[in-house]
Amino acid sequence: MKLSVASIATLCLAPSTAAFSAGPTTFIRTSTRLMVGNDPNVQIGGNTWQPDSGKMGSTDTGDFFPDDYEPGVDFGDGMMGSQMGNNRDRGPQLPGMENLGEDAVMMGGIEANTDIPAGMEFIPSSVPDGLVEMNVAASGSGETFHLAVKPVCMTFENYFVAFAPGAHPSLSVTPQTGRMDRRGGEITELLIKCTPKGKAGTFEGDLVINLPEDNSKICYKVVATSF
């Protein structure tokens, strides 16, 4: 029998090729049954505990409160801080001495000038800040106009009031001195009076409010008609 070279090579490689071929594989799946419900220490439905009231709520109590403790403090108490107090009048509103309290004892304080300084001039502005018109009976005792002046300065200011030279002598104003509140504060009330003393006509005058500390002034044109 004659064998060719190709046949000899095939016979030699056949066993080695079969050795590397994949054979059939078998998988076996196993499982374990866990019997949780049979264990008395395991609660499947969750915690069934409830407070004594039967409703959910906080059960925390601070150890530093006594058993008979009652708060007695309203929710809004102290919410606005110590400056609010009880909304009562807290005393005189003077510069540097605000909120002293009702029972405060004031020693000294700021004193307003009661006299117009010597040599102070009352010169009206070219354009007045307001107009005051009055009607007065010539045979009567006179009429009084209440002028409300709003404060215009950033701080408390001494003021001095008078009619400028040339005003009719029947016109007068009180008070002539005082202390004006700061801007946004209480108004200053001046009383302008016209006493015609039986004379009829139109009486005019320029009212000047000097604020020397602020280097400013407020002017009003006053016109009184006597009939």
Side-chain angles (χ1 to χ4, degrees):
M1 181 179 58
K2 296 182 180 180
L3 298 175
S4 63
V5 177
S7 299
I8 297 173
T10 301
L11 293 175
C12 293
L13 293 176
S16 60
T17 303
F20 289 96
S21 62
T25 302
T26 302
F27 295 95
I28 299 175
R29 178 175 294 178
T30 60
S31 60
T32 303
R33 187 175 182 181
L34 181 62
M35 303 297 292
V36 177
N38 296 332
D39 190 345
N41 296 322
V42 178
Q43 296 182 3
I44 301 177
N47 192 353
T48 60
W49 177 88
Q50 290 184 351
D52 296 337
S53 61
K55 300 180 180 180
M56 296 302 296
S58 175
T59 58
D60 295 337
T61 303
D63 296 336
F64 46 84
F65 289 124
D67 295 337
D68 57 349
Y69 172 74
E70 294 182 1
V73 179
D74 187 64
F75 172 76
D77 290 350
M79 188 171 287
M80 299 304 293
S82 60
Q83 297 299 322
M84 289 301 294
N86 52 10
N87 295 326
R88 296 183 300 174
D89 183 13
R90 296 187 62 83
Q93 298 295 312
L94 296 178
M97 295 184 291
E98 294 87 349
N99 301 328
L100 289 177
E102 295 179 343
D103 56 347
V105 179
M106 297 175 57
M107 303 297 293
I110 297 177
E111 297 181 359
N113 292 331
T114 57
D115 298 323
I116 296 177
M120 176 174 286
E121 296 181 332
F122 293 87
I123 303 175
S125 303
S126 58
V127 178
D129 297 292
L131 174 64
V132 176
E133 295 181 319
M134 304 173 58
N135 292 321
V136 55
S139 59
S141 60
E143 292 292 336
T144 301
F145 183 89
H146 294 254
L147 177 62
V149 182
K150 293 183 179 180
V152 296
C153 301
M154 298 300 295
T155 59
F156 293 82
E157 300 286 346
N158 290 327
Y159 68 84
F160 305 91
V161 187
F163 279 95
H168 195 274
S170 64
L171 299 175
S172 62
V173 60
T174 55
Q176 290 189 304
T177 62
R179 191 164 182 85
M180 187 174 293
D181 204 340
R182 53 192 169 187
R183 182 180 302 174
E186 296 182 359
I187 63 173
T188 297
E189 187 176 76
L190 302 177
L191 303 180
I192 302 174
K193 188 171 184 179
C194 178
T195 310
K197 296 181 179 180
K199 296 181 179 180
T202 301
F203 310 141
E204 298 184 0
D206 293 306
L207 184 68
V208 181
I209 306 173
N210 282 338
L211 302 168
E213 297 177 7
D214 190 60
N215 195 26
S216 62
K217 57 186 174 183
I218 306 172
C219 302
Y220 290 90
K221 185 72 175 182
V222 180
V223 179
T225 302
S226 176
F227 54 91

